Amino acid sequence: MKHRERRAESSLLLLCLILSASSEAYGAINNTGEADPLRCISFYSSVNGLNSTIYYVTQSISECLEGEKNIALSVYCLPSDLYESVDYKIKTAAALDMDLMILSSFPEELDDTLQQELEDNEIFALIVDGQPSDYKLSACIGTDNLDAGVQAAKSAEKLSGAHQVGIVATSFRSSEISASRQERRDGFVNLGETYQNMTLVGECVCSSNALEAMQTVQEFLEEYPGIDVLYCLDSSSGITASEVLRQMKREKEVTVICFDNTDQVQQEMDAGGIDMVLVQNTEKIGQECAEFLLQMSRREMDSLCQKQISIPCLMVTADEEQR
């Protein structure tokens, strides 16, 4: 634990030194009496070599804001063990004197200490790939996760015959899954329970460590050998499930529905290991976020606090990809 804390402190110190130097250089150039730009920081991470949704959203934001002088956007790639650490993100944003942070996995109810730090520093939280928060200076722009689960259930129900379904998810925190994954799970389960030809037989939460995840998923499939539909709540678990099924020589027996498209998910789909993918419209989310930041830079605060925008996913099947 002490090693992790020292690592976090070292990462924060290095980031502060880099971004502070950039800020001073910008200030020297921009010393014209104009209003200071809106200072924003976006936090993302990579898990098993897979970039997170917020990475692609940030790319879209950057493209939309290219040449925009009223917004200064910084991007910070977190170590995977700090990706869901809201405490670390808040302390980083406060240390760097940011006006706004773009992040995921923001709690619905903040710890009093963290909320006080946000309020003292007047930091706005723009939540992507998460759920709305009670924190007043926040907004949520992202995928409609509940609807994604509904789409997955409808697609599973259309498969011929009766089916035993298993749900798999990746977690960064022991057995807990993020709020967005929980919504995708709830949307699927709530509708799936009304279908006569679908039975949910088990759920599996695996580590973000690739080898541990493969062992967990294999044990899950061995415990429930009748599973013939796997609903994977994230790209990492979808890839893991595909690889495990291939090793078990069961890839043709089990239909894999995966949330979120990545290069590796695409490869698994092309190889026949993943059958359906719920694709997030990260470009559209980024465009909405960019417009939000532009409004923030014009200090249109009253209309932005607690704002919510949900963007539907698109279900893509392997058959459609091959056409």
Side-chain angles (χ1 to χ4, degrees):
M1 179 63 71
K2 289 183 179 179
H3 173 73
R4 178 175 170 180
E5 289 172 355
R6 285 197 297 270
R7 180 182 177 189
E9 290 170 359
S10 299
S11 299
L12 177 55
L13 177 60
L14 178 60
L15 179 68
C16 288
L17 289 173
I18 293 171
L19 293 185
S20 293
S22 301
S23 175
E24 288 172 7
Y26 184 92
I29 296 171
N30 195 44
N31 190 18
T32 61
E34 298 177 0
D36 290 336
L38 182 73
R39 292 168 57 83
C40 311
I41 185 167
S42 179
F43 296 98
Y44 81 96
S45 184
S46 296
V47 180
N48 301 334
L50 304 175
N51 288 322
S52 53
T53 299
I54 201 167
Y55 170 84
Y56 296 105
V57 171
T58 302
Q59 276 192 329
S60 177
I61 294 172
S62 298
E63 291 169 3
C64 292
L65 296 178
E66 186 175 1
E68 177 58 51
K69 296 181 179 179
N70 293 322
I71 298 172
L73 176 63
S74 301
V75 181
Y76 182 23
C77 180
L78 290 164
S80 60
D81 59 336
L82 291 175
Y83 181 51
E84 292 197 353
S85 174
V86 176
D87 176 80
Y88 183 77
K89 295 172 186 176
I90 291 174
K91 290 185 184 302
T92 302
L96 296 170
D97 192 27
M98 292 292 170
D99 300 308
L100 179 145
M101 58 181 182
I102 304 170
L103 73 170
S104 62
S105 302
F106 199 72
E108 185 176 356
E109 294 183 6
L110 271 174
D111 173 87
D112 290 343
T113 303
L114 294 179
Q115 177 146 335
Q116 192 62 52
E117 187 158 11
L118 280 174
E119 291 174 352
D120 290 346
N121 292 277
E122 297 182 338
I123 299 172
F124 199 103
L126 179 55
I127 306 160
V128 176
D129 190 25
Q131 65 178 7
S133 170
D134 290 340
Y135 174 54
K136 182 181 178 182
L137 297 180
S138 69
C140 186
I141 301 176
T143 295
D144 190 334
N145 289 295
L146 202 62
D147 179 70
V150 168
Q151 287 193 55
K154 288 180 177 179
S155 296
E157 193 271 338
K158 290 178 182 177
L159 298 170
S160 61
H163 299 282
Q164 294 187 26
V165 181
I167 296 177
V168 185
T170 304
S171 174
F172 296 86
R173 300 171 298 180
S174 62
S175 61
E176 297 180 21
I177 62 175
S178 66
S180 55
R181 288 174 176 79
Q182 186 66 46
E183 287 187 342
R184 295 194 282 272
R185 181 242 177 229
D186 292 347
F188 182 92
V189 171
N190 292 341
L191 181 59
E193 288 176 342
T194 68
Y195 294 141
Q196 298 298 316
N197 65 335
M198 284 172 50
T199 303
L200 176 61
V201 296
E203 301 185 47
C204 167
V205 177
C206 55
S207 162
S208 59
N209 178 285
L211 292 177
E212 292 178 2
M214 290 188 70
Q215 181 178 349
T216 300
V217 172
Q218 180 172 336
E219 291 172 354
F220 175 66
L221 290 170
E222 289 172 348
E223 182 179 358
Y224 299 102
I227 287 177
D228 58 359
V229 175
L230 271 182
Y231 173 42
C232 302
L233 302 181
D234 49 78
S235 58
S236 184
S237 62
I239 293 163
T240 298
S242 178
E243 291 174 343
V244 170
L245 287 167
R246 187 179 301 114
Q247 288 183 4
M248 298 175 73
K249 301 187 184 305
R250 292 193 58 198
E251 68 269 28
K252 293 183 179 180
E253 301 172 11
V254 181
T255 298
V256 177
I257 304 173
C258 174
F259 178 86
D260 207 7
N261 198 18
T262 66
D263 291 342
Q264 198 169 346
V265 166
Q266 190 64 57
Q267 290 171 13
E268 292 295 330
M269 181 176 267
D270 292 341
I274 293 176
D275 302 278
M276 307 179 200
V277 179
L278 287 152
V279 181
Q280 298 190 81
N281 193 342
T282 53
E283 182 178 2
K284 175 64 174 175
I285 295 171
Q287 291 169 353
E288 293 287 354
C289 288
E291 178 57 33
F292 185 93
L293 296 182
L294 288 169
Q295 292 178 40
M296 277 284 293
S297 70
R298 297 192 291 266
R299 304 301 190 261
E300 299 174 9
M301 291 293 294
D302 291 343
S303 62
L304 301 177
C305 292
Q306 296 291 301
K307 187 170 186 176
Q308 295 182 39
I309 300 176
S310 297
I311 311 296
C313 287
L314 173 67
M315 177 66 83
V316 176
T317 67
D319 290 340
E320 290 171 340
E321 283 293 295
Q322 292 170 2
R323 289 174 191 169

